[in-house]
Amino acid sequence: MTRPFLSLLDYTSEELEGLLDLARQMKLCPEAFRTACSGQTLAMIFQKPSLRTRVSFEVGIGELGGHGIYLGPTDIQLHRGETIADTARVLSRYADGIMARVFAHADVVALAENASVPVINGLSDLLHPCQVLADLLTIREKKGRLEGLTLAFVGDGNNMAHSLLNGGARFGMHVRVSHPAGYAPDVDVVAAARQAAAATGGSIHLTTDPREGVEGADVVYTDVWASMGQEKEAAERLARFRGFQVDAALMRLARPDAVFLHCLPAHRGEEVTGEVIDGPASVVFDEAENRLHAQKAIMARLMGSARARGPAW
Ligand code: CP
Ligand code: NVA
């Protein structure tokens, strides 16, 4: 198994900082990296829909001199019973890297265990590390630093909350998650994030009061109330999450210079009002753009000519 990118906590703070620096260089001077993955192929497995992940990975590998192959839910034999292990072994004979969007996190772990090429987690039910690397790049660009900032995530204790806990902890941020009772982040993820935060001067705080969560925050973040795969729970969640909408009144409790982030897709009128997501504090389209730069850095480091550079790669 070559080194996969499954969770931000698999990487040290220094390694993540190196990825952010590389992503920033790639954003400022994309021409310098036109051959970083020359002739390489990224196989892209999608068990769920995607706009950003699919397009940014496919464009990104192209900009690095390689190409991507989109493998949708019914394109390959997984849905007909071919095992994850066999899929990983076969793809490793053709491709130089595998990006996968899955339901069960165990599936992307199994891909990585059986592949002889790097596997990148393009979202699982547990984590969304590529998104949060892009989020951290965005916050660093807007605020000039990460350490010491307070990030308030409002809503479901889901894959986004988990990766924000991981990433925030690695960078000494104060991460607050406010969630309805019964929708807290996973206890093991929180425990690991607390341990990581202890080493960087960060902190983790959970609350069921969104006002307490957002008070004085530098960054306010939310995500949909029903994630992909939870469609049947949507009506119940709509009722349970009322009161956790990020609206102008909630934003006023954050710092006056606070920025608003959302991984997208967004549901205006549910987790966020149009006034906030389309308003002056919102940086969601810079954030979406940064998926491209962050993931190019990941691919160049794991698969490409930048692999040899940087500590412990
Ligand atoms: N934020 C994100 O991952 O978007 P997609 O689901 O469109 O890829
Ligand atoms: N929590 C959302 C994130 C989408 C990018 C989901 O899993 O559907």
PDB file of all heavy atoms in Angstrom, residues 12-46:
ATOM      1  N   THR A  12       0.660  14.888   9.587  1.00  0.00           N
ATOM      2  CA  THR A  12       1.089  15.786  10.654  1.00  0.00           C
ATOM      3  C   THR A  12       0.728  17.224  10.277  1.00  0.00           C
ATOM      4  O   THR A  12       0.449  17.534   9.105  1.00  0.00           O
ATOM      5  CB  THR A  12       2.612  15.720  10.857  1.00  0.00           C
ATOM      6  OG1 THR A  12       3.243  16.212   9.659  1.00  0.00           O
ATOM      7  CG2 THR A  12       3.090  14.294  11.137  1.00  0.00           C
ATOM      8  N   SER A  13       0.785  18.093  11.260  1.00  0.00           N
ATOM      9  CA  SER A  13       0.539  19.510  11.009  1.00  0.00           C
ATOM     10  C   SER A  13       1.510  20.040   9.960  1.00  0.00           C
ATOM     11  O   SER A  13       1.131  20.813   9.075  1.00  0.00           O
ATOM     12  CB  SER A  13       0.695  20.319  12.294  1.00  0.00           C
ATOM     13  OG  SER A  13      -0.158  19.815  13.291  1.00  0.00           O
ATOM     14  N   GLU A  14       2.766  19.599  10.040  1.00  0.00           N
ATOM     15  CA  GLU A  14       3.787  20.080   9.092  1.00  0.00           C
ATOM     16  C   GLU A  14       3.473  19.612   7.676  1.00  0.00           C
ATOM     17  O   GLU A  14       3.622  20.368   6.710  1.00  0.00           O
ATOM     18  CB  GLU A  14       5.190  19.582   9.503  1.00  0.00           C
ATOM     19  CG  GLU A  14       5.727  20.177  10.791  1.00  0.00           C
ATOM     20  CD  GLU A  14       4.999  19.687  12.050  1.00  0.00           C
ATOM     21  OE1 GLU A  14       4.500  18.531  12.041  1.00  0.00           O
ATOM     22  OE2 GLU A  14       4.912  20.447  13.024  1.00  0.00           O
ATOM     23  N   GLU A  15       3.048  18.359   7.559  1.00  0.00           N
ATOM     24  CA  GLU A  15       2.711  17.838   6.226  1.00  0.00           C
ATOM     25  C   GLU A  15       1.507  18.579   5.639  1.00  0.00           C
ATOM     26  O   GLU A  15       1.491  18.909   4.447  1.00  0.00           O
ATOM     27  CB  GLU A  15       2.409  16.339   6.307  1.00  0.00           C
ATOM     28  CG  GLU A  15       3.645  15.494   6.532  1.00  0.00           C
ATOM     29  CD  GLU A  15       3.309  14.044   6.827  1.00  0.00           C
ATOM     30  OE1 GLU A  15       2.189  13.736   7.280  1.00  0.00           O
ATOM     31  OE2 GLU A  15       4.198  13.200   6.603  1.00  0.00           O
ATOM     32  N   LEU A  16       0.522  18.839   6.477  1.00  0.00           N
ATOM     33  CA  LEU A  16      -0.665  19.555   5.989  1.00  0.00           C
ATOM     34  C   LEU A  16      -0.305  20.981   5.594  1.00  0.00           C
ATOM     35  O   LEU A  16      -0.776  21.502   4.584  1.00  0.00           O
ATOM     36  CB  LEU A  16      -1.769  19.544   7.053  1.00  0.00           C
ATOM     37  CG  LEU A  16      -2.377  18.171   7.349  1.00  0.00           C
ATOM     38  CD1 LEU A  16      -3.351  18.249   8.512  1.00  0.00           C
ATOM     39  CD2 LEU A  16      -3.075  17.597   6.110  1.00  0.00           C
ATOM     40  N   GLU A  17       0.559  21.589   6.394  1.00  0.00           N
ATOM     41  CA  GLU A  17       1.014  22.946   6.070  1.00  0.00           C
ATOM     42  C   GLU A  17       1.745  22.939   4.723  1.00  0.00           C
ATOM     43  O   GLU A  17       1.565  23.844   3.895  1.00  0.00           O
ATOM     44  CB  GLU A  17       1.947  23.445   7.182  1.00  0.00           C
ATOM     45  CG  GLU A  17       2.418  24.852   6.992  1.00  0.00           C
ATOM     46  CD  GLU A  17       2.020  25.736   8.171  1.00  0.00           C
ATOM     47  OE1 GLU A  17       2.086  25.246   9.308  1.00  0.00           O
ATOM     48  OE2 GLU A  17       1.672  26.887   7.926  1.00  0.00           O
ATOM     49  N   GLY A  18       2.543  21.892   4.508  1.00  0.00           N
ATOM     50  CA  GLY A  18       3.254  21.756   3.229  1.00  0.00           C
ATOM     51  C   GLY A  18       2.277  21.639   2.066  1.00  0.00           C
ATOM     52  O   GLY A  18       2.500  22.206   0.991  1.00  0.00           O
ATOM     53  N   LEU A  19       1.191  20.899   2.270  1.00  0.00           N
ATOM     54  CA  LEU A  19       0.176  20.773   1.213  1.00  0.00           C
ATOM     55  C   LEU A  19      -0.495  22.117   0.944  1.00  0.00           C
ATOM     56  O   LEU A  19      -0.742  22.472  -0.213  1.00  0.00           O
ATOM     57  CB  LEU A  19      -0.886  19.743   1.621  1.00  0.00           C
ATOM     58  CG  LEU A  19      -0.524  18.277   1.416  1.00  0.00           C
ATOM     59  CD1 LEU A  19      -1.591  17.374   2.023  1.00  0.00           C
ATOM     60  CD2 LEU A  19      -0.352  17.944  -0.067  1.00  0.00           C
ATOM     61  N   LEU A  20      -0.783  22.861   2.008  1.00  0.00           N
ATOM     62  CA  LEU A  20      -1.403  24.187   1.816  1.00  0.00           C
ATOM     63  C   LEU A  20      -0.454  25.121   1.071  1.00  0.00           C
ATOM     64  O   LEU A  20      -0.877  25.872   0.182  1.00  0.00           O
ATOM     65  CB  LEU A  20      -1.791  24.802   3.161  1.00  0.00           C
ATOM     66  CG  LEU A  20      -2.927  24.126   3.937  1.00  0.00           C
ATOM     67  CD1 LEU A  20      -3.204  24.868   5.242  1.00  0.00           C
ATOM     68  CD2 LEU A  20      -4.197  24.050   3.109  1.00  0.00           C
ATOM     69  N   ASP A  21       0.824  25.054   1.415  1.00  0.00           N
ATOM     70  CA  ASP A  21       1.807  25.911   0.721  1.00  0.00           C
ATOM     71  C   ASP A  21       1.898  25.542  -0.756  1.00  0.00           C
ATOM     72  O   ASP A  21       1.948  26.416  -1.627  1.00  0.00           O
ATOM     73  CB  ASP A  21       3.186  25.772   1.373  1.00  0.00           C
ATOM     74  CG  ASP A  21       3.231  26.394   2.764  1.00  0.00           C
ATOM     75  OD1 ASP A  21       2.328  27.184   3.100  1.00  0.00           O
ATOM     76  OD2 ASP A  21       4.159  26.058   3.526  1.00  0.00           O
ATOM     77  N   LEU A  22       1.917  24.231  -1.030  1.00  0.00           N
ATOM     78  CA  LEU A  22       1.990  23.776  -2.422  1.00  0.00           C
ATOM     79  C   LEU A  22       0.728  24.184  -3.187  1.00  0.00           C
ATOM     80  O   LEU A  22       0.801  24.645  -4.337  1.00  0.00           O
ATOM     81  CB  LEU A  22       2.179  22.254  -2.457  1.00  0.00           C
ATOM     82  CG  LEU A  22       2.350  21.605  -3.829  1.00  0.00           C
ATOM     83  CD1 LEU A  22       3.534  22.183  -4.597  1.00  0.00           C
ATOM     84  CD2 LEU A  22       2.502  20.076  -3.695  1.00  0.00           C
ATOM     85  N   ALA A  23      -0.432  24.035  -2.549  1.00  0.00           N
ATOM     86  CA  ALA A  23      -1.689  24.431  -3.192  1.00  0.00           C
ATOM     87  C   ALA A  23      -1.680  25.920  -3.521  1.00  0.00           C
ATOM     88  O   ALA A  23      -2.121  26.337  -4.597  1.00  0.00           O
ATOM     89  CB  ALA A  23      -2.867  24.105  -2.269  1.00  0.00           C
ATOM     90  N   ARG A  24      -1.155  26.713  -2.616  1.00  0.00           N
ATOM     91  CA  ARG A  24      -1.096  28.169  -2.834  1.00  0.00           C
ATOM     92  C   ARG A  24      -0.176  28.488  -4.029  1.00  0.00           C
ATOM     93  O   ARG A  24      -0.507  29.309  -4.882  1.00  0.00           O
ATOM     94  CB  ARG A  24      -0.602  28.829  -1.544  1.00  0.00           C
ATOM     95  CG  ARG A  24      -0.522  30.324  -1.586  1.00  0.00           C
ATOM     96  CD  ARG A  24      -1.875  30.995  -1.477  1.00  0.00           C
ATOM     97  NE  ARG A  24      -1.720  32.427  -1.795  1.00  0.00           N
ATOM     98  CZ  ARG A  24      -2.652  33.189  -2.312  1.00  0.00           C
ATOM     99  NH1 ARG A  24      -3.857  32.719  -2.583  1.00  0.00           N
ATOM    100  NH2 ARG A  24      -2.421  34.450  -2.567  1.00  0.00           N
ATOM    101  N   GLN A  25       0.987  27.800  -4.068  1.00  0.00           N
ATOM    102  CA  GLN A  25       1.899  28.005  -5.212  1.00  0.00           C
ATOM    103  C   GLN A  25       1.217  27.612  -6.515  1.00  0.00           C
ATOM    104  O   GLN A  25       1.363  28.278  -7.540  1.00  0.00           O
ATOM    105  CB  GLN A  25       3.134  27.113  -5.068  1.00  0.00           C
ATOM    106  CG  GLN A  25       4.177  27.573  -4.068  1.00  0.00           C
ATOM    107  CD  GLN A  25       5.244  26.482  -3.924  1.00  0.00           C
ATOM    108  OE1 GLN A  25       5.690  25.880  -4.896  1.00  0.00           O
ATOM    109  NE2 GLN A  25       5.638  26.213  -2.694  1.00  0.00           N
ATOM    110  N   MET A  26       0.480  26.508  -6.482  1.00  0.00           N
ATOM    111  CA  MET A  26      -0.208  26.038  -7.692  1.00  0.00           C
ATOM    112  C   MET A  26      -1.282  27.017  -8.131  1.00  0.00           C
ATOM    113  O   MET A  26      -1.526  27.191  -9.319  1.00  0.00           O
ATOM    114  CB  MET A  26      -0.829  24.663  -7.434  1.00  0.00           C
ATOM    115  CG  MET A  26       0.224  23.580  -7.345  1.00  0.00           C
ATOM    116  SD  MET A  26      -0.522  22.000  -6.959  1.00  0.00           S
ATOM    117  CE  MET A  26       0.747  20.898  -7.614  1.00  0.00           C
ATOM    118  N   LYS A  27      -1.929  27.649  -7.161  1.00  0.00           N
ATOM    119  CA  LYS A  27      -2.961  28.632  -7.478  1.00  0.00           C
ATOM    120  C   LYS A  27      -2.337  29.873  -8.113  1.00  0.00           C
ATOM    121  O   LYS A  27      -2.870  30.417  -9.082  1.00  0.00           O
ATOM    122  CB  LYS A  27      -3.701  29.004  -6.192  1.00  0.00           C
ATOM    123  CG  LYS A  27      -4.858  29.960  -6.384  1.00  0.00           C
ATOM    124  CD  LYS A  27      -5.653  30.088  -5.087  1.00  0.00           C
ATOM    125  CE  LYS A  27      -6.874  30.985  -5.272  1.00  0.00           C
ATOM    126  NZ  LYS A  27      -7.725  31.012  -4.075  1.00  0.00           N
ATOM    127  N   LEU A  28      -1.183  30.302  -7.566  1.00  0.00           N
ATOM    128  CA  LEU A  28      -0.544  31.528  -8.051  1.00  0.00           C
ATOM    129  C   LEU A  28       0.161  31.311  -9.382  1.00  0.00           C
ATOM    130  O   LEU A  28       0.247  32.225 -10.200  1.00  0.00           O
ATOM    131  CB  LEU A  28       0.459  32.049  -7.013  1.00  0.00           C
ATOM    132  CG  LEU A  28      -0.156  32.529  -5.693  1.00  0.00           C
ATOM    133  CD1 LEU A  28       0.936  32.934  -4.704  1.00  0.00           C
ATOM    134  CD2 LEU A  28      -1.131  33.683  -5.925  1.00  0.00           C
ATOM    135  N   CYS A  29       0.691  30.106  -9.585  1.00  0.00           N
ATOM    136  CA  CYS A  29       1.523  29.866 -10.774  1.00  0.00           C
ATOM    137  C   CYS A  29       1.257  28.468 -11.338  1.00  0.00           C
ATOM    138  O   CYS A  29       2.122  27.597 -11.294  1.00  0.00           O
ATOM    139  CB  CYS A  29       2.996  30.029 -10.377  1.00  0.00           C
ATOM    140  SG  CYS A  29       4.095  30.030 -11.779  1.00  0.00           S
ATOM    141  N   PRO A  30       0.038  28.253 -11.895  1.00  0.00           N
ATOM    142  CA  PRO A  30      -0.306  26.898 -12.349  1.00  0.00           C
ATOM    143  C   PRO A  30       0.614  26.378 -13.447  1.00  0.00           C
ATOM    144  O   PRO A  30       0.846  25.167 -13.549  1.00  0.00           O
ATOM    145  CB  PRO A  30      -1.750  27.046 -12.854  1.00  0.00           C
ATOM    146  CG  PRO A  30      -2.022  28.508 -12.961  1.00  0.00           C
ATOM    147  CD  PRO A  30      -1.067  29.216 -12.066  1.00  0.00           C
ATOM    148  N   GLU A  31       1.206  27.317 -14.246  1.00  0.00           N
ATOM    149  CA  GLU A  31       2.072  26.875 -15.372  1.00  0.00           C
ATOM    150  C   GLU A  31       3.271  26.082 -14.874  1.00  0.00           C
ATOM    151  O   GLU A  31       3.792  25.216 -15.593  1.00  0.00           O
ATOM    152  CB  GLU A  31       2.638  28.030 -16.187  1.00  0.00           C
ATOM    153  CG  GLU A  31       1.879  29.299 -16.441  1.00  0.00           C
ATOM    154  CD  GLU A  31       1.478  30.104 -15.237  1.00  0.00           C
ATOM    155  OE1 GLU A  31       2.346  30.771 -14.646  1.00  0.00           O
ATOM    156  OE2 GLU A  31       0.286  30.083 -14.899  1.00  0.00           O
ATOM    157  N   ALA A  32       3.721  26.384 -13.668  1.00  0.00           N
ATOM    158  CA  ALA A  32       4.930  25.732 -13.158  1.00  0.00           C
ATOM    159  C   ALA A  32       4.696  24.248 -12.861  1.00  0.00           C
ATOM    160  O   ALA A  32       5.655  23.514 -12.611  1.00  0.00           O
ATOM    161  CB  ALA A  32       5.405  26.447 -11.887  1.00  0.00           C
ATOM    162  N   PHE A  33       3.439  23.812 -12.877  1.00  0.00           N
ATOM    163  CA  PHE A  33       3.137  22.433 -12.465  1.00  0.00           C
ATOM    164  C   PHE A  33       2.471  21.616 -13.574  1.00  0.00           C
ATOM    165  O   PHE A  33       1.891  20.582 -13.323  1.00  0.00           O
ATOM    166  CB  PHE A  33       2.238  22.469 -11.217  1.00  0.00           C
ATOM    167  CG  PHE A  33       2.881  23.173 -10.059  1.00  0.00           C
ATOM    168  CD1 PHE A  33       2.693  24.533  -9.858  1.00  0.00           C
ATOM    169  CD2 PHE A  33       3.714  22.485  -9.195  1.00  0.00           C
ATOM    170  CE1 PHE A  33       3.309  25.195  -8.810  1.00  0.00           C
ATOM    171  CE2 PHE A  33       4.334  23.128  -8.136  1.00  0.00           C
ATOM    172  CZ  PHE A  33       4.135  24.490  -7.942  1.00  0.00           C
ATOM    173  N   ARG A  34       2.620  22.110 -14.829  1.00  0.00           N
ATOM    174  CA  ARG A  34       1.910  21.490 -15.953  1.00  0.00           C
ATOM    175  C   ARG A  34       2.307  20.030 -16.197  1.00  0.00           C
ATOM    176  O   ARG A  34       1.570  19.284 -16.822  1.00  0.00           O
ATOM    177  CB  ARG A  34       2.171  22.274 -17.244  1.00  0.00           C
ATOM    178  CG  ARG A  34       1.519  23.641 -17.259  1.00  0.00           C
ATOM    179  CD  ARG A  34       0.177  23.637 -17.977  1.00  0.00           C
ATOM    180  NE  ARG A  34      -0.405  24.964 -17.976  1.00  0.00           N
ATOM    181  CZ  ARG A  34      -1.483  25.310 -17.273  1.00  0.00           C
ATOM    182  NH1 ARG A  34      -2.102  24.429 -16.523  1.00  0.00           N
ATOM    183  NH2 ARG A  34      -1.949  26.535 -17.324  1.00  0.00           N
ATOM    184  N   THR A  35       3.492  19.634 -15.721  1.00  0.00           N
ATOM    185  CA  THR A  35       3.929  18.253 -15.967  1.00  0.00           C
ATOM    186  C   THR A  35       4.088  17.457 -14.666  1.00  0.00           C
ATOM    187  O   THR A  35       4.688  16.383 -14.667  1.00  0.00           O
ATOM    188  CB  THR A  35       5.271  18.242 -16.743  1.00  0.00           C
ATOM    189  OG1 THR A  35       6.245  18.949 -15.954  1.00  0.00           O
ATOM    190  CG2 THR A  35       5.142  18.906 -18.104  1.00  0.00           C
ATOM    191  N   ALA A  36       3.531  17.976 -13.585  1.00  0.00           N
ATOM    192  CA  ALA A  36       3.746  17.326 -12.270  1.00  0.00           C
ATOM    193  C   ALA A  36       3.219  15.894 -12.232  1.00  0.00           C
ATOM    194  O   ALA A  36       3.772  15.050 -11.532  1.00  0.00           O
ATOM    195  CB  ALA A  36       3.104  18.160 -11.167  1.00  0.00           C
ATOM    196  N   CYS A  37       2.149  15.613 -12.995  1.00  0.00           N
ATOM    197  CA  CYS A  37       1.611  14.241 -13.066  1.00  0.00           C
ATOM    198  C   CYS A  37       1.548  13.807 -14.528  1.00  0.00           C
ATOM    199  O   CYS A  37       0.568  13.175 -14.968  1.00  0.00           O
ATOM    200  CB  CYS A  37       0.228  14.158 -12.422  1.00  0.00           C
ATOM    201  SG  CYS A  37       0.241  14.298 -10.630  1.00  0.00           S
ATOM    202  N   SER A  38       2.607  14.147 -15.255  1.00  0.00           N
ATOM    203  CA  SER A  38       2.638  13.912 -16.696  1.00  0.00           C
ATOM    204  C   SER A  38       2.343  12.441 -17.036  1.00  0.00           C
ATOM    205  O   SER A  38       2.998  11.538 -16.502  1.00  0.00           O
ATOM    206  CB  SER A  38       4.019  14.309 -17.217  1.00  0.00           C
ATOM    207  OG  SER A  38       4.049  14.186 -18.597  1.00  0.00           O
ATOM    208  N   GLY A  39       1.368  12.229 -17.903  1.00  0.00           N
ATOM    209  CA  GLY A  39       1.063  10.875 -18.368  1.00  0.00           C
ATOM    210  C   GLY A  39       0.379   9.995 -17.338  1.00  0.00           C
ATOM    211  O   GLY A  39       0.165   8.805 -17.595  1.00  0.00           O
ATOM    212  N   GLN A  40       0.031  10.545 -16.189  1.00  0.00           N
ATOM    213  CA  GLN A  40      -0.571   9.712 -15.144  1.00  0.00           C
ATOM    214  C   GLN A  40      -2.096   9.696 -15.245  1.00  0.00           C
ATOM    215  O   GLN A  40      -2.714  10.635 -15.741  1.00  0.00           O
ATOM    216  CB  GLN A  40      -0.143  10.209 -13.762  1.00  0.00           C
ATOM    217  CG  GLN A  40       1.364  10.050 -13.537  1.00  0.00           C
ATOM    218  CD  GLN A  40       1.726  10.128 -12.076  1.00  0.00           C
ATOM    219  OE1 GLN A  40       1.245  10.986 -11.349  1.00  0.00           O
ATOM    220  NE2 GLN A  40       2.576   9.221 -11.639  1.00  0.00           N
ATOM    221  N   THR A  41      -2.668   8.608 -14.752  1.00  0.00           N
ATOM    222  CA  THR A  41      -4.123   8.436 -14.800  1.00  0.00           C
ATOM    223  C   THR A  41      -4.683   8.333 -13.391  1.00  0.00           C
ATOM    224  O   THR A  41      -4.155   7.590 -12.558  1.00  0.00           O
ATOM    225  CB  THR A  41      -4.470   7.147 -15.579  1.00  0.00           C
ATOM    226  OG1 THR A  41      -3.971   7.278 -16.915  1.00  0.00           O
ATOM    227  CG2 THR A  41      -5.977   6.933 -15.634  1.00  0.00           C
ATOM    228  N   LEU A  42      -5.755   9.087 -13.153  1.00  0.00           N
ATOM    229  CA  LEU A  42      -6.491   9.001 -11.890  1.00  0.00           C
ATOM    230  C   LEU A  42      -7.834   8.333 -12.171  1.00  0.00           C
ATOM    231  O   LEU A  42      -8.627   8.841 -12.966  1.00  0.00           O
ATOM    232  CB  LEU A  42      -6.734  10.405 -11.303  1.00  0.00           C
ATOM    233  CG  LEU A  42      -7.487  10.426  -9.972  1.00  0.00           C
ATOM    234  CD1 LEU A  42      -6.583   9.954  -8.834  1.00  0.00           C
ATOM    235  CD2 LEU A  42      -8.044  11.822  -9.674  1.00  0.00           C
ATOM    236  N   ALA A  43      -8.067   7.182 -11.540  1.00  0.00           N
ATOM    237  CA  ALA A  43      -9.373   6.520 -11.633  1.00  0.00           C
ATOM    238  C   ALA A  43     -10.276   7.121 -10.559  1.00  0.00           C
ATOM    239  O   ALA A  43      -9.882   7.185  -9.389  1.00  0.00           O
ATOM    240  CB  ALA A  43      -9.223   5.016 -11.424  1.00  0.00           C
ATOM    241  N   MET A  44     -11.465   7.560 -10.957  1.00  0.00           N
ATOM    242  CA  MET A  44     -12.336   8.281 -10.019  1.00  0.00           C
ATOM    243  C   MET A  44     -13.634   7.504  -9.825  1.00  0.00           C
ATOM    244  O   MET A  44     -14.506   7.499 -10.703  1.00  0.00           O
ATOM    245  CB  MET A  44     -12.634   9.677 -10.562  1.00  0.00           C
ATOM    246  CG  MET A  44     -11.376  10.465 -10.956  1.00  0.00           C
ATOM    247  SD  MET A  44     -11.732  12.191 -11.330  1.00  0.00           S
ATOM    248  CE  MET A  44     -12.877  12.029 -12.669  1.00  0.00           C
ATOM    249  N   ILE A  45     -13.747   6.848  -8.672  1.00  0.00           N
ATOM    250  CA  ILE A  45     -14.937   6.035  -8.356  1.00  0.00           C
ATOM    251  C   ILE A  45     -15.959   6.907  -7.630  1.00  0.00           C
ATOM    252  O   ILE A  45     -15.632   7.521  -6.603  1.00  0.00           O
ATOM    253  CB  ILE A  45     -14.559   4.847  -7.441  1.00  0.00           C
ATOM    254  CG1 ILE A  45     -13.549   3.922  -8.129  1.00  0.00           C
ATOM    255  CG2 ILE A  45     -15.805   4.083  -6.998  1.00  0.00           C
ATOM    256  CD1 ILE A  45     -13.019   2.815  -7.217  1.00  0.00           C
ATOM    257  N   PHE A  46     -17.164   6.955  -8.150  1.00  0.00           N
ATOM    258  CA  PHE A  46     -18.238   7.714  -7.491  1.00  0.00           C
ATOM    259  C   PHE A  46     -19.424   6.812  -7.216  1.00  0.00           C
ATOM    260  O   PHE A  46     -20.100   6.387  -8.143  1.00  0.00           O
ATOM    261  CB  PHE A  46     -18.686   8.896  -8.365  1.00  0.00           C
ATOM    262  CG  PHE A  46     -17.740  10.066  -8.304  1.00  0.00           C
ATOM    263  CD1 PHE A  46     -16.697  10.184  -9.201  1.00  0.00           C
ATOM    264  CD2 PHE A  46     -17.895  11.036  -7.335  1.00  0.00           C
ATOM    265  CE1 PHE A  46     -15.816  11.254  -9.130  1.00  0.00           C
ATOM    266  CE2 PHE A  46     -17.021  12.116  -7.249  1.00  0.00           C
ATOM    267  CZ  PHE A  46     -15.973  12.225  -8.154  1.00  0.00           C
TER     268      PHE A  46
END
